[in-house]
Each structure stands twice: as structure tokens, then as C-alpha cells.
Short mmCIF file of all heavy atoms in Angstrom, two decimals:
data_model
loop_
_atom_site.label_atom_id
_atom_site.label_comp_id
_atom_site.label_asym_id
_atom_site.label_seq_id
_atom_site.Cartn_x
_atom_site.Cartn_y
_atom_site.Cartn_z
N ALA A 1 3.99 14.87 -46.91
CA ALA A 1 4.71 14.55 -45.59
C ALA A 1 4.38 15.59 -44.67
O ALA A 1 4.08 15.26 -43.47
CB ALA A 1 6.20 14.40 -45.82
N GLN A 2 4.47 16.92 -45.06
CA GLN A 2 3.98 17.92 -44.12
C GLN A 2 2.67 17.81 -43.70
O GLN A 2 2.27 18.11 -42.54
CB GLN A 2 4.32 19.30 -44.76
CG GLN A 2 5.83 19.69 -44.86
CD GLN A 2 5.94 21.07 -45.36
OE1 GLN A 2 5.12 21.93 -45.18
NE2 GLN A 2 7.10 21.44 -45.99
N ALA A 3 1.69 17.69 -44.69
CA ALA A 3 0.29 17.61 -44.37
C ALA A 3 -0.02 16.53 -43.36
O ALA A 3 -0.95 16.81 -42.42
CB ALA A 3 -0.49 17.25 -45.66
N GLU A 4 0.67 15.41 -43.33
CA GLU A 4 0.28 14.36 -42.33
C GLU A 4 0.66 14.82 -40.99
O GLU A 4 0.16 14.23 -40.02
CB GLU A 4 1.10 13.07 -42.81
CG GLU A 4 0.48 12.30 -43.99
CD GLU A 4 -0.92 12.05 -43.88
OE1 GLU A 4 -1.39 11.59 -42.82
OE2 GLU A 4 -1.66 12.21 -44.82
N ALA A 5 1.57 15.63 -40.84
CA ALA A 5 2.11 16.09 -39.48
C ALA A 5 1.19 17.18 -38.91
O ALA A 5 1.34 17.59 -37.68
CB ALA A 5 3.55 16.59 -39.50
N LEU A 6 0.34 17.69 -39.72
CA LEU A 6 -0.53 18.87 -39.33
C LEU A 6 -1.86 18.35 -38.89
O LEU A 6 -2.31 17.33 -39.36
CB LEU A 6 -0.62 19.84 -40.41
CG LEU A 6 0.55 20.61 -40.87
CD1 LEU A 6 0.42 21.28 -42.18
CD2 LEU A 6 0.95 21.68 -39.82
N GLN A 7 -2.57 19.09 -38.00
CA GLN A 7 -3.91 18.72 -37.58
C GLN A 7 -4.87 19.65 -38.14
O GLN A 7 -5.05 20.76 -37.80
CB GLN A 7 -4.03 18.77 -36.11
CG GLN A 7 -5.43 18.22 -35.56
CD GLN A 7 -5.52 18.00 -34.12
OE1 GLN A 7 -4.51 18.05 -33.36
NE2 GLN A 7 -6.77 17.77 -33.58
N PHE A 8 -5.71 19.06 -39.10
CA PHE A 8 -6.96 19.71 -39.63
C PHE A 8 -8.14 18.98 -39.03
O PHE A 8 -8.38 17.79 -39.24
CB PHE A 8 -6.94 19.64 -41.17
CG PHE A 8 -5.76 20.21 -41.87
CD1 PHE A 8 -4.67 19.54 -42.13
CD2 PHE A 8 -5.80 21.56 -42.17
CE1 PHE A 8 -3.56 20.12 -42.78
CE2 PHE A 8 -4.70 22.12 -42.89
CZ PHE A 8 -3.59 21.39 -43.20
N SER A 9 -9.03 19.80 -38.34
CA SER A 9 -10.05 19.18 -37.56
C SER A 9 -11.30 20.07 -37.60
O SER A 9 -11.24 21.24 -37.75
CB SER A 9 -9.58 18.97 -36.21
OG SER A 9 -10.57 18.66 -35.31
N THR A 10 -12.45 19.45 -37.36
CA THR A 10 -13.63 20.19 -37.08
C THR A 10 -13.70 20.59 -35.58
O THR A 10 -12.93 20.00 -34.77
CB THR A 10 -14.96 19.37 -37.33
OG1 THR A 10 -14.94 18.30 -36.40
CG2 THR A 10 -14.98 18.78 -38.70
N ILE A 11 -14.39 21.59 -35.32
CA ILE A 11 -14.48 22.13 -33.91
C ILE A 11 -15.07 21.01 -32.97
O ILE A 11 -14.62 20.87 -31.89
CB ILE A 11 -15.33 23.41 -33.80
CG1 ILE A 11 -14.58 24.50 -34.69
CG2 ILE A 11 -15.39 23.84 -32.35
CD1 ILE A 11 -15.24 25.82 -34.60
N HIS A 12 -16.02 20.29 -33.44
CA HIS A 12 -16.67 19.21 -32.69
C HIS A 12 -15.56 18.10 -32.42
O HIS A 12 -15.56 17.64 -31.24
CB HIS A 12 -17.80 18.55 -33.44
CG HIS A 12 -19.04 19.37 -33.40
ND1 HIS A 12 -19.25 20.48 -34.39
CD2 HIS A 12 -20.19 19.40 -32.55
CE1 HIS A 12 -20.46 21.00 -34.07
NE2 HIS A 12 -20.95 20.37 -32.96
N SER A 13 -14.83 17.74 -33.39
CA SER A 13 -13.74 16.75 -33.20
C SER A 13 -12.66 17.16 -32.25
O SER A 13 -12.37 16.45 -31.35
CB SER A 13 -13.20 16.39 -34.55
OG SER A 13 -12.09 15.36 -34.40
N PHE A 14 -12.35 18.33 -32.31
CA PHE A 14 -11.46 18.93 -31.30
C PHE A 14 -11.96 18.98 -29.89
O PHE A 14 -11.26 18.53 -28.92
CB PHE A 14 -10.92 20.34 -31.62
CG PHE A 14 -10.20 21.08 -30.58
CD1 PHE A 14 -8.87 20.69 -30.34
CD2 PHE A 14 -10.84 22.01 -29.88
CE1 PHE A 14 -8.22 21.37 -29.26
CE2 PHE A 14 -10.18 22.60 -28.82
CZ PHE A 14 -8.85 22.28 -28.48
N SER A 15 -13.18 19.30 -29.81
CA SER A 15 -13.86 19.37 -28.48
C SER A 15 -13.94 18.01 -27.88
O SER A 15 -13.77 17.80 -26.63
CB SER A 15 -15.28 19.94 -28.58
OG SER A 15 -15.25 21.32 -29.09
N LEU A 16 -14.21 17.07 -28.71
CA LEU A 16 -14.23 15.53 -28.22
C LEU A 16 -12.95 15.14 -27.68
O LEU A 16 -12.75 14.44 -26.73
CB LEU A 16 -14.68 14.69 -29.32
CG LEU A 16 -15.06 13.24 -28.94
CD1 LEU A 16 -16.16 13.25 -27.76
CD2 LEU A 16 -15.55 12.46 -30.03
N SER A 17 -11.77 15.65 -28.36
CA SER A 17 -10.45 15.39 -27.92
C SER A 17 -10.23 15.98 -26.55
O SER A 17 -9.41 15.39 -25.64
CB SER A 17 -9.41 15.77 -28.92
OG SER A 17 -9.27 17.29 -28.93
N VAL A 18 -10.78 17.06 -26.32
CA VAL A 18 -10.61 17.74 -24.94
C VAL A 18 -11.30 16.90 -23.89
O VAL A 18 -10.72 16.70 -22.83
CB VAL A 18 -11.20 19.19 -25.00
CG1 VAL A 18 -11.31 19.74 -23.55
CG2 VAL A 18 -10.47 20.16 -25.80
N ILE A 19 -12.48 16.38 -24.17
CA ILE A 19 -13.24 15.50 -23.25
C ILE A 19 -12.44 14.24 -23.01
O ILE A 19 -12.35 13.81 -21.81
CB ILE A 19 -14.58 15.17 -23.81
CG1 ILE A 19 -15.41 16.53 -23.89
CG2 ILE A 19 -15.32 14.21 -22.91
CD1 ILE A 19 -16.71 16.34 -24.57
N ARG A 20 -11.90 13.66 -24.02
CA ARG A 20 -11.17 12.36 -23.92
C ARG A 20 -9.83 12.59 -23.08
O ARG A 20 -9.46 11.61 -22.27
CB ARG A 20 -10.87 11.80 -25.27
CG ARG A 20 -12.04 11.35 -26.11
CD ARG A 20 -12.99 10.39 -25.38
NE ARG A 20 -14.13 10.02 -26.17
CZ ARG A 20 -15.35 9.94 -25.65
NH1 ARG A 20 -15.55 10.24 -24.34
NH2 ARG A 20 -16.34 9.63 -26.44
N TYR A 21 -9.24 13.73 -23.30
CA TYR A 21 -7.98 13.95 -22.47
C TYR A 21 -8.39 14.15 -21.06
O TYR A 21 -7.64 13.71 -20.14
CB TYR A 21 -7.30 15.19 -23.02
CG TYR A 21 -5.99 15.55 -22.36
CD1 TYR A 21 -4.86 14.87 -22.63
CD2 TYR A 21 -5.97 16.53 -21.35
CE1 TYR A 21 -3.68 15.15 -21.96
CE2 TYR A 21 -4.84 16.82 -20.58
CZ TYR A 21 -3.62 16.12 -20.95
OH TYR A 21 -2.44 16.37 -20.38
N TYR A 22 -9.46 14.83 -20.76
CA TYR A 22 -9.89 14.99 -19.38
C TYR A 22 -10.22 13.58 -18.77
O TYR A 22 -9.76 13.39 -17.67
CB TYR A 22 -11.27 15.79 -19.38
CG TYR A 22 -12.04 15.72 -18.14
CD1 TYR A 22 -11.68 16.43 -16.96
CD2 TYR A 22 -13.17 14.88 -18.09
CE1 TYR A 22 -12.42 16.35 -15.85
CE2 TYR A 22 -13.87 14.82 -16.89
CZ TYR A 22 -13.51 15.45 -15.89
OH TYR A 22 -14.25 15.36 -14.71
N GLU A 23 -10.81 12.74 -19.48
CA GLU A 23 -10.99 11.42 -18.91
C GLU A 23 -9.73 10.72 -18.54
O GLU A 23 -9.64 10.04 -17.50
CB GLU A 23 -11.78 10.53 -20.00
CG GLU A 23 -13.25 11.04 -20.29
CD GLU A 23 -13.93 10.09 -21.29
OE1 GLU A 23 -13.25 9.76 -22.29
OE2 GLU A 23 -15.14 9.74 -21.04
N ARG A 24 -8.79 10.74 -19.35
CA ARG A 24 -7.55 10.09 -19.14
C ARG A 24 -6.73 10.67 -18.00
O ARG A 24 -6.23 9.95 -17.10
CB ARG A 24 -6.58 10.16 -20.34
CG ARG A 24 -7.09 9.28 -21.58
CD ARG A 24 -5.96 9.11 -22.57
NE ARG A 24 -5.46 10.39 -23.13
CZ ARG A 24 -6.06 11.03 -24.17
NH1 ARG A 24 -7.10 10.52 -24.76
NH2 ARG A 24 -5.58 12.18 -24.59
N CYS A 25 -6.76 12.02 -17.82
CA CYS A 25 -5.97 12.70 -16.81
C CYS A 25 -6.69 12.61 -15.52
O CYS A 25 -6.04 12.52 -14.42
CB CYS A 25 -5.79 14.15 -17.20
SG CYS A 25 -4.64 14.39 -18.57
N PHE A 26 -7.97 12.70 -15.47
CA PHE A 26 -8.72 12.73 -14.14
C PHE A 26 -9.40 11.39 -13.81
O PHE A 26 -10.04 11.29 -12.78
CB PHE A 26 -9.79 13.83 -14.20
CG PHE A 26 -9.25 15.25 -14.26
CD1 PHE A 26 -8.79 15.80 -15.43
CD2 PHE A 26 -9.28 15.92 -13.14
CE1 PHE A 26 -8.23 17.09 -15.45
CE2 PHE A 26 -8.77 17.34 -13.03
CZ PHE A 26 -8.25 17.81 -14.26
N HIS A 27 -9.10 10.38 -14.67
CA HIS A 27 -9.64 9.02 -14.47
C HIS A 27 -11.12 9.00 -14.17
O HIS A 27 -11.58 8.41 -13.19
CB HIS A 27 -8.76 8.44 -13.21
CG HIS A 27 -7.36 8.43 -13.43
ND1 HIS A 27 -6.73 7.76 -14.38
CD2 HIS A 27 -6.40 9.17 -12.79
CE1 HIS A 27 -5.35 7.92 -14.26
NE2 HIS A 27 -5.18 8.89 -13.33
N ARG A 28 -11.77 9.72 -15.02
CA ARG A 28 -13.24 9.76 -14.91
C ARG A 28 -13.88 9.37 -16.27
O ARG A 28 -13.27 9.74 -17.35
CB ARG A 28 -13.72 11.13 -14.47
CG ARG A 28 -13.34 11.56 -13.07
CD ARG A 28 -13.69 12.93 -12.75
NE ARG A 28 -13.18 13.29 -11.49
CZ ARG A 28 -13.24 14.62 -10.93
NH1 ARG A 28 -13.81 15.50 -11.67
NH2 ARG A 28 -12.71 14.87 -9.80
N ARG A 29 -15.10 8.94 -16.18
CA ARG A 29 -15.71 8.52 -17.45
C ARG A 29 -16.98 9.54 -17.62
O ARG A 29 -17.82 9.60 -16.80
CB ARG A 29 -16.27 7.12 -17.40
CG ARG A 29 -17.06 6.65 -18.58
CD ARG A 29 -16.09 6.62 -19.84
NE ARG A 29 -16.86 6.28 -21.07
CZ ARG A 29 -16.49 6.28 -22.24
NH1 ARG A 29 -15.25 6.88 -22.53
NH2 ARG A 29 -17.09 5.90 -23.34
N VAL A 30 -16.93 10.28 -18.68
CA VAL A 30 -17.98 11.26 -18.99
C VAL A 30 -19.07 10.51 -19.72
O VAL A 30 -18.99 9.32 -20.06
CB VAL A 30 -17.54 12.53 -19.71
CG1 VAL A 30 -16.43 13.15 -18.94
CG2 VAL A 30 -17.09 12.19 -21.17
N TYR A 31 -20.06 11.26 -20.14
CA TYR A 31 -21.28 10.74 -20.78
C TYR A 31 -20.95 10.22 -22.15
O TYR A 31 -20.00 10.60 -22.79
CB TYR A 31 -22.30 11.86 -21.03
CG TYR A 31 -22.99 12.27 -19.76
CD1 TYR A 31 -23.83 13.47 -19.72
CD2 TYR A 31 -22.80 11.65 -18.55
CE1 TYR A 31 -24.30 14.03 -18.59
CE2 TYR A 31 -23.50 12.09 -17.40
CZ TYR A 31 -24.34 13.22 -17.39
OH TYR A 31 -24.86 13.67 -16.29
N GLY A 32 -21.66 9.17 -22.61
CA GLY A 32 -21.49 8.63 -23.91
C GLY A 32 -22.09 9.58 -24.92
O GLY A 32 -22.91 10.46 -24.55
N VAL A 33 -21.71 9.41 -26.22
CA VAL A 33 -22.28 10.25 -27.25
C VAL A 33 -23.52 9.63 -27.97
O VAL A 33 -23.47 8.42 -28.42
CB VAL A 33 -21.17 10.60 -28.27
CG1 VAL A 33 -21.75 11.40 -29.45
CG2 VAL A 33 -19.93 11.23 -27.73
N LEU A 34 -24.59 10.43 -27.97
CA LEU A 34 -25.70 9.91 -28.62
C LEU A 34 -25.63 10.13 -30.17
O LEU A 34 -25.65 11.21 -30.65
CB LEU A 34 -26.96 10.72 -28.18
CG LEU A 34 -28.40 10.40 -28.75
CD1 LEU A 34 -28.70 8.89 -28.59
CD2 LEU A 34 -29.41 11.33 -28.17
N GLY A 35 -25.33 9.05 -30.89
CA GLY A 35 -25.03 9.16 -32.26
C GLY A 35 -26.21 9.53 -33.16
O GLY A 35 -25.99 10.31 -34.04
N ASN A 36 -27.39 9.11 -32.93
CA ASN A 36 -28.58 9.37 -33.71
C ASN A 36 -29.64 9.94 -32.78
O ASN A 36 -30.31 9.24 -32.09
CB ASN A 36 -29.04 8.15 -34.49
CG ASN A 36 -29.99 8.48 -35.49
OD1 ASN A 36 -30.49 9.57 -35.61
ND2 ASN A 36 -30.49 7.41 -36.22
N VAL A 37 -29.87 11.21 -32.92
CA VAL A 37 -30.91 11.93 -32.20
C VAL A 37 -32.37 11.65 -32.60
O VAL A 37 -33.20 11.62 -31.78
CB VAL A 37 -30.65 13.47 -32.20
CG1 VAL A 37 -31.79 14.28 -31.53
CG2 VAL A 37 -29.26 13.80 -31.59
N THR A 38 -32.46 11.37 -33.93
CA THR A 38 -33.81 11.26 -34.51
C THR A 38 -34.78 10.29 -33.83
O THR A 38 -35.90 10.73 -33.46
CB THR A 38 -33.74 11.03 -36.02
OG1 THR A 38 -32.88 12.06 -36.67
CG2 THR A 38 -35.08 10.94 -36.66
N PRO A 39 -34.35 9.02 -33.63
CA PRO A 39 -35.29 8.09 -33.01
C PRO A 39 -35.73 8.48 -31.57
O PRO A 39 -36.84 8.19 -31.19
CB PRO A 39 -34.64 6.75 -33.12
CG PRO A 39 -33.14 7.06 -33.30
CD PRO A 39 -33.16 8.40 -34.07
N VAL A 40 -34.79 9.08 -30.87
CA VAL A 40 -35.02 9.53 -29.53
C VAL A 40 -36.16 10.59 -29.46
O VAL A 40 -37.16 10.47 -28.79
CB VAL A 40 -33.81 10.02 -28.75
CG1 VAL A 40 -34.15 10.62 -27.39
CG2 VAL A 40 -32.81 8.91 -28.63
N VAL A 41 -35.94 11.68 -30.38
CA VAL A 41 -36.88 12.70 -30.37
C VAL A 41 -38.31 12.26 -30.91
O VAL A 41 -39.34 12.60 -30.42
CB VAL A 41 -36.43 13.88 -31.30
CG1 VAL A 41 -37.42 14.97 -31.57
CG2 VAL A 41 -35.14 14.48 -30.76
N ARG A 42 -38.30 11.35 -31.96
CA ARG A 42 -39.48 10.81 -32.49
C ARG A 42 -40.24 10.02 -31.41
O ARG A 42 -41.55 10.25 -31.32
CB ARG A 42 -39.21 9.85 -33.63
CG ARG A 42 -40.50 9.28 -34.29
CD ARG A 42 -40.20 8.20 -35.29
NE ARG A 42 -39.56 8.67 -36.52
CZ ARG A 42 -38.30 8.47 -36.94
NH1 ARG A 42 -37.53 7.67 -36.16
NH2 ARG A 42 -37.86 9.00 -38.02
N ASP A 43 -39.61 9.22 -30.61
CA ASP A 43 -40.21 8.41 -29.55
C ASP A 43 -40.79 9.37 -28.43
O ASP A 43 -41.87 9.18 -27.87
CB ASP A 43 -39.27 7.42 -28.95
CG ASP A 43 -39.89 6.43 -27.94
OD1 ASP A 43 -40.89 5.82 -28.44
OD2 ASP A 43 -39.49 6.32 -26.82
N LEU A 44 -39.97 10.40 -28.02
CA LEU A 44 -40.56 11.31 -27.04
C LEU A 44 -41.75 12.11 -27.51
O LEU A 44 -42.65 12.31 -26.82
CB LEU A 44 -39.39 12.31 -26.63
CG LEU A 44 -38.26 11.70 -25.88
CD1 LEU A 44 -37.14 12.71 -25.77
CD2 LEU A 44 -38.63 11.18 -24.52
N TYR A 45 -41.72 12.43 -28.81
CA TYR A 45 -42.81 13.20 -29.42
C TYR A 45 -44.03 12.35 -29.37
O TYR A 45 -45.13 12.81 -28.92
CB TYR A 45 -42.44 13.50 -30.89
CG TYR A 45 -43.56 14.32 -31.66
CD1 TYR A 45 -43.24 15.59 -32.02
CD2 TYR A 45 -44.73 13.76 -32.09
CE1 TYR A 45 -44.20 16.35 -32.72
CE2 TYR A 45 -45.64 14.45 -32.78
CZ TYR A 45 -45.40 15.81 -33.13
OH TYR A 45 -46.27 16.54 -33.80
N ARG A 46 -43.93 10.99 -29.67
CA ARG A 46 -44.97 10.09 -29.71
C ARG A 46 -45.69 9.98 -28.27
O ARG A 46 -46.86 10.05 -28.02
CB ARG A 46 -44.64 8.75 -30.14
CG ARG A 46 -45.80 7.79 -30.24
CD ARG A 46 -45.24 6.45 -30.67
NE ARG A 46 -44.29 5.94 -29.76
CZ ARG A 46 -44.61 5.29 -28.59
NH1 ARG A 46 -45.76 5.20 -28.29
NH2 ARG A 46 -43.53 4.77 -27.77
N LYS A 47 -44.82 9.88 -27.31
CA LYS A 47 -45.21 9.72 -25.84
C LYS A 47 -45.83 11.02 -25.31
O LYS A 47 -46.88 10.89 -24.55
CB LYS A 47 -43.97 9.31 -24.97
CG LYS A 47 -43.54 7.90 -25.24
CD LYS A 47 -42.23 7.60 -24.39
CE LYS A 47 -41.72 6.26 -24.65
NZ LYS A 47 -40.45 5.96 -23.92
N ILE A 48 -45.36 12.11 -25.65
CA ILE A 48 -45.83 13.34 -25.14
C ILE A 48 -47.16 13.87 -25.79
O ILE A 48 -48.09 14.23 -25.12
CB ILE A 48 -44.80 14.52 -25.27
CG1 ILE A 48 -43.57 14.23 -24.38
CG2 ILE A 48 -45.33 15.89 -24.89
CD1 ILE A 48 -42.39 15.05 -24.53
#
């Protein structure tokens, strides 16, 4: 019961909550999150 009321989080997850709160309060949409970096870097490498 106590554990469920507490917040255990990674620093990245907490930082994302800061961004989402900013979006709600300031009515702005920030950048989307790039989930998988690998294919992007691979494609840029090939082109360059």
C-alpha cells in the first residue's frame, strides 16, 4: 500500500514528466521523442 503511493522513477522518466507538464500549462507542443536512433544514424551514415 505504501509502495504504490511513492514515486520510484528514472531520471529520464522524470524529465519527460517535466516536459509534459510544461505542455499542459503553457499550451504548447514540444518535439516528439525519437524512439529508435539506430535506423536514423545508419541512413545518415550511408548518405554521408
Side-chain angles (χ1 to χ4, degrees):
Q2 285 189 24
E4 289 304 318
L6 293 164
Q7 184 169 349
F8 298 92
S9 170
T10 64
I11 299 180
H12 283 87
S13 180
F14 167 74
S15 298
L16 191 58
S17 72
V18 171
I19 295 171
R20 296 301 179 228
Y21 182 80
Y22 162 79
E23 288 180 321
R24 293 194 300 272
C25 291
F26 289 80
H27 306 291
R28 295 176 185 172
R29 180 65 181 165
V30 302
Y31 293 166
V33 178
L34 177 60
N36 190 355
V37 171
T38 302
V40 174
V41 175
R42 183 188 288 114
D43 189 52
L44 290 171
Y45 185 109
R46 182 184 60 79
K47 291 177 180 176
I48 295 171

